[in-house]
Amino acid sequence: MLCAKRAQLHAEGLSLSCQDEWFARPGITDLRKLIRDVPDFPQPGILFKDITPLLAEPAGLALSIELMAQPFRGRDIDAVVGAESRGFIFGTALANALSVGFIPIRKPGKLPWRTRKQEYSLEYGTDKFEVHEDALLAGQNVLLVDDVLATGGTLEACCRLIRGLGANVYAISVLIELSALAGREKVREYQVHSVLRY
């Protein structure tokens, strides 16, 4: 199944430059069917995009990873960075797909070594992130990965942590972008690749 999907994607000439054409393709439609809308979670007024049905479907998960990784194959990526917790799911898979290491960004108190900290805003509150101060080398090119680009606060904080260590944010890859929340504006200086837009 995955090999057939990869062959189909290659035959259709998918690349970052034709990203907007992806949204009308059959595989993308299939992925949308695996995203469940949960109203009023985690608080009233929030429509939560639940990815757990997609994660449980082997073909859907494999296609998601392929579509998130494909534009960055053969690029000068030194590491993938993902934020706790759903960024770990996709980040480790993309790191494996791109044959690079994975760097976790975690909530406070979860990392055992000396850390850098960054506060960020969510669509429903604030929180903090930490990363080991020796996690990245100066000048390394990083692909930042998460499941959703919503208000952009999470990814903006991650970008600040990465740059604070002297590394470069090569690009950002997400499965879902909630366009109405305009999160792309907070990370507009970076290349952003989203597989699904709502």
Side-chain angles (χ1 to χ4, degrees), residues 33-69:
K33 292 177 182 177
L34 296 173
I35 307 293
R36 176 169 49 206
D37 286 344
V38 181
D40 300 320
F41 182 85
Q43 67 181 38
I46 303 294
L47 181 63
F48 187 81
K49 296 293 184 184
D50 180 14
I51 63 170
T52 57
L54 182 146
L55 297 177
E57 173 57 47
L61 177 59
L63 179 58
S64 298
I65 298 304
E66 180 62 23
L67 292 175
M68 291 176 73

Side-chain angles (χ1 to χ4, degrees), residues 21-197:
E21 298 175 14
W22 293 14
F23 306 121
R25 297 182 187 276
I28 298 298
T29 303
D30 294 343
L31 290 182
R32 288 182 186 276
K33 292 177 182 177
L34 296 173
I35 307 293
R36 176 169 49 206
D37 286 344
V38 181
D40 300 320
F41 182 85
Q43 67 181 38
I46 303 294
L47 181 63
F48 187 81
K49 296 293 184 184
D50 180 14
I51 63 170
T52 57
L54 182 146
L55 297 177
E57 173 57 47
L61 177 59
L63 179 58
S64 298
I65 298 304
E66 180 62 23
L67 292 175
M68 291 176 73
Q70 190 271 342
F72 306 104
R73 294 185 186 281
R75 305 294 179 91
D76 188 23
I77 305 293
D78 297 308
V80 169
V81 170
E84 189 171 344
S85 61
R86 292 185 302 272
F88 292 177
I89 297 169
F90 293 102
T92 54
L94 263 71
N96 181 65
L98 299 174
S99 299
V100 298
F102 175 77
I103 307 299
I105 291 181
R106 302 211 62 184
K107 299 292 179 65
K110 300 290 187 179
L111 292 171
W113 190 241
R114 293 190 296 269
T115 61
R116 300 280 183 93
K117 299 175 177 60
Q118 181 67 52
E119 186 172 281
Y120 66 99
S121 298
L122 296 166
E123 58 270 31
Y124 46 84
T126 61
D127 210 336
K128 291 180 181 178
F129 274 144
E130 294 183 346
V131 66
H132 278 149
E133 65 180 20
D134 60 354
L136 294 165
L137 300 176
Q140 283 190 308
N141 290 324
V142 170
L143 177 63
L144 177 57
V145 173
D146 208 351
D147 64 328
V148 175
L149 170 55
T151 63
T154 298
L155 292 173
E156 181 186 30
C158 290
C159 289
R160 289 180 178 175
L161 282 172
I162 292 165
R163 291 174 61 181
L165 295 177
N168 307 311
V169 179
Y170 183 93
I172 298 169
S173 183
V174 297
L175 176 64
I176 297 169
E177 180 177 354
L178 304 178
S179 301
L181 297 179
R184 189 178 282 254
E185 281 300 304
K186 287 190 177 176
V187 290
R188 60 183 176 273
E189 63 186 288
Y190 309 107
Q191 179 185 18
V192 178
H193 168 64
S194 55
V195 175
L196 302 173
R197 291 182 191 164

